[in-house]
Amino acid sequence: MKNWLKNVGPGVLVSAAFIGPGTVTVCTLAGVTFQYALLWALLLSVIACVILQEMAARLGIIAQKGLSECIREEIKNPTLRVLAIILIFSAIVIGNAAYEAGNITGAVLGITAITTPLTLELGNFTLNLWSVIVGGIAFALLAIGNYKILERVFIGLVGLMSISFLITAFLTKPDFFQVLKGLFIPTTGSAGILTVIALVGTTVVPYNLFLHASLVGEKWKLPSDLKIARRELGIAIILGGLVSMAIVITAAVPNLDDVTSAADLALGLKPLFGEYATLFIAVGLLAAGITSSITAPLAAAYVVKGCLGWEKGLKSLKFKSVWAAILIMGVFFSSLQLKPVEIIQFAQIANGLLLPVIAIFLFWIVNRSSVMGEYRNTLRQNILGILIIGITIFLGAKSIYTVLEGF
């Protein structure tokens, strides 16, 4: 056990990052609307996450640099370099702003399940004060920089919520034949394509590819550490995927008609917690929301730092201005008069659409001999990588077509 704990690293953080308000909400919506039919999308997402995050981990250990730094250094043509940086910059800023709005809204969804809404009228605009308060807590924790103990508490609460969903998935006695059918037989109409994209986006989070490459380089320094990193990553992501599937299964059983609040999300946990289910899901969403509200802006700041080649990190004013901007945008979008569940779902769809862009850059870098040497992608890894990128591009294109068709 001591040896296992010693080797716990960034893989657990990657897994924890996608067990947040977005996962709980999107997986609940998938279970409510499609029952077990979209479990295959989660299975695909977990496989894609393992493949892409392994590439990011290998890059971090071998190159001892982050993904954005490698991209900036490897593109020699100044024009192409600027275009690539602008593209990554835009993808991460847009994606993380949407993701941050979902994180803050998830925390607010938890708070409002056990308290009353708190709003402020500003002319024609109604400000959700709970969004501002959650954003203020995240801002204070990031500004202080010493939030590790609090973050461990939050991750512990999220972990407890995850275990609860796993237990409840068995207590609800689902139809295992239908579960297996949903896992291995892909089916969805045009109505479900955006939910599929959201499920992919909540599992394979684009900014995690940047964050993971940076973090593994700090923990592991030698190529021989790759074996440990891969094992730790695989176990963590598979466990995270099982939790996501458990949430879909628990949501499919109660046969809900609609999900608009944390109380609706809590119905799936009633077999385990009874009348305390709403309180439990409220605390879980609050913890998951605040934890993610800290990590998302920080990840964006690391990406921008690598893209622009800044030497100084955490303490520099430029670095702080990036995470502050992401946080403020998240608070603003969270304060809009939209249904909380819709904001969270949109954030996951945005992530899913941006994923192919980031995955293509990662795929290119891990095939560069100048960066990876003998550890560049093998033929098998390239085939798997191309398949994953192809599927994400297809899903993204199909979802855009579905949206345009509705106009």
Side-chain angles (χ1 to χ4, degrees):
M1 176 60 75
K2 187 184 289 186
N3 191 46
W4 183 84
L5 288 172
K6 183 183 175 183
N7 289 325
V8 166
V12 172
L13 294 179
V14 168
S15 183
F18 69 74
I19 303 297
T23 297
V24 176
T25 305
V26 171
C27 290
T28 300
L29 287 169
V32 168
T33 311
F34 302 98
Q35 275 69 57
Y36 311 118
L38 296 186
L39 283 172
W40 65 268
L42 275 175
L43 180 61
L44 172 67
S45 300
V46 169
I47 293 169
C49 193
V50 170
I51 292 168
L52 292 175
Q53 293 293 166
E54 186 278 335
M55 290 183 193
R58 185 158 31 97
L59 170 65
I61 292 173
I62 301 303
Q64 288 292 299
K65 294 175 185 174
L67 175 57
S68 53
E69 292 170 86
C70 289
I71 292 168
R72 180 174 53 81
E73 291 174 4
E74 286 301 304
I75 300 177
K76 307 301 181 185
N77 185 295
T79 306
L80 290 177
R81 188 190 303 126
V82 169
L83 288 173
I85 288 172
I86 290 172
L87 187 60
I88 294 168
F89 215 82
S90 304
I92 291 300
V93 168
I94 293 168
N96 274 38
Y99 202 72
E100 186 68 356
N103 293 332
I104 293 170
T105 302
V108 172
L109 198 63
I111 294 171
T112 51
I114 50 178
T115 62
T116 55
L118 197 60
T119 57
L120 177 66
E121 299 289 337
L122 297 171
N124 295 325
F125 181 72
T126 303
L127 184 68
N128 188 332
L129 289 179
W130 281 124
S131 295
V132 177
I133 291 167
V134 170
I137 293 169
F139 188 94
L141 292 170
L142 282 166
I144 293 167
N146 188 17
Y147 53 87
K148 291 296 181 186
I149 295 174
L150 194 57
E151 190 178 36
R152 287 192 191 104
V153 172
F154 287 149
I155 289 174
L157 290 170
V158 174
L160 180 61
M161 183 174 68
S162 301
I163 293 167
S164 300
F165 274 113
L166 286 168
I167 295 170
T168 309
F170 285 98
L171 291 180
T172 51
K173 297 178 181 176
D175 184 331
F176 282 104
F177 174 75
Q178 291 300 320
V179 170
L180 289 173
K181 185 180 175 184
L183 271 173
F184 298 109
I185 303 176
T187 56
T188 177
S190 59
I193 194 67
L194 289 179
T195 306
V196 171
I197 284 287
L199 288 169
V200 173
T202 195
T203 308
V204 196
V205 183
Y207 80 71
N208 269 344
L209 297 174
F210 289 94
L211 195 60
H212 197 195
S214 297
L215 292 176
V216 291
E218 293 178 11
K219 184 170 181 67
W220 293 299
K221 305 293 182 184
L222 302 172
S224 57
D225 293 326
L226 262 175
K227 187 177 179 182
I228 299 168
R230 282 169 174 157
R231 188 189 307 124
E232 186 254 353
L233 172 69
I235 293 170
I237 291 176
I238 290 168
L239 287 175
L242 288 173
V243 171
S244 298
M245 291 174 192
I247 296 171
V248 173
I249 292 167
T250 57
V253 175
N255 294 318
L256 302 176
D257 294 323
D258 195 16
V259 176
T260 57
S261 67
D264 296 330
L265 295 173
L267 289 176
L269 288 174
K270 277 205 168 180
L272 185 61
F273 291 100
E275 61 183 279
Y276 296 105
T278 300
L279 177 62
F280 184 83
I281 201 77
V283 173
L285 283 172
L286 178 61
I290 291 178
T291 305
S292 300
S293 294
I294 294 168
T295 54
L298 205 56
Y302 273 117
V303 171
V304 173
K305 174 181 176 288
C307 280
L308 300 182
W310 295 343
E311 293 298 324
K312 294 181 180 179
L314 285 167
K315 301 297 181 182
S316 73
L317 184 61
K318 290 187 290 187
F319 189 91
K320 289 178 179 178
S321 66
V322 175
W323 61 248
I326 296 292
L327 193 52
I328 290 166
M329 282 192 282
V331 170
F332 173 75
F333 289 123
S334 177
S335 298
L336 297 177
Q337 291 302 293
L338 297 170
K339 292 180 181 178
V341 171
E342 288 177 352
I343 295 174
I344 294 169
Q345 190 176 27
F346 170 77
Q348 309 311 318
I349 293 169
N351 264 345
L353 291 174
L354 292 169
L355 176 62
V357 176
I358 306 304
I360 288 168
F361 276 113
L362 173 64
F363 184 76
W364 176 66
I365 285 292
V366 292
N367 273 289
R368 301 280 292 174
S369 296
S370 56
V371 178
M372 302 298 294
E374 64 181 286
Y375 292 94
R376 66 185 184 276
N377 268 13
T378 62
L379 177 62
R380 182 179 65 86
Q381 287 167 330
N382 276 334
I383 291 170
L384 291 172
I386 290 168
L387 279 173
I388 294 300
I389 291 169
I391 291 168
T392 57
I393 291 172
F394 169 75
L395 289 173
K398 193 172 179 183
S399 67
I400 291 168
Y401 174 75
T402 302
V403 171
L404 292 175
E405 201 177 30
F407 285 102

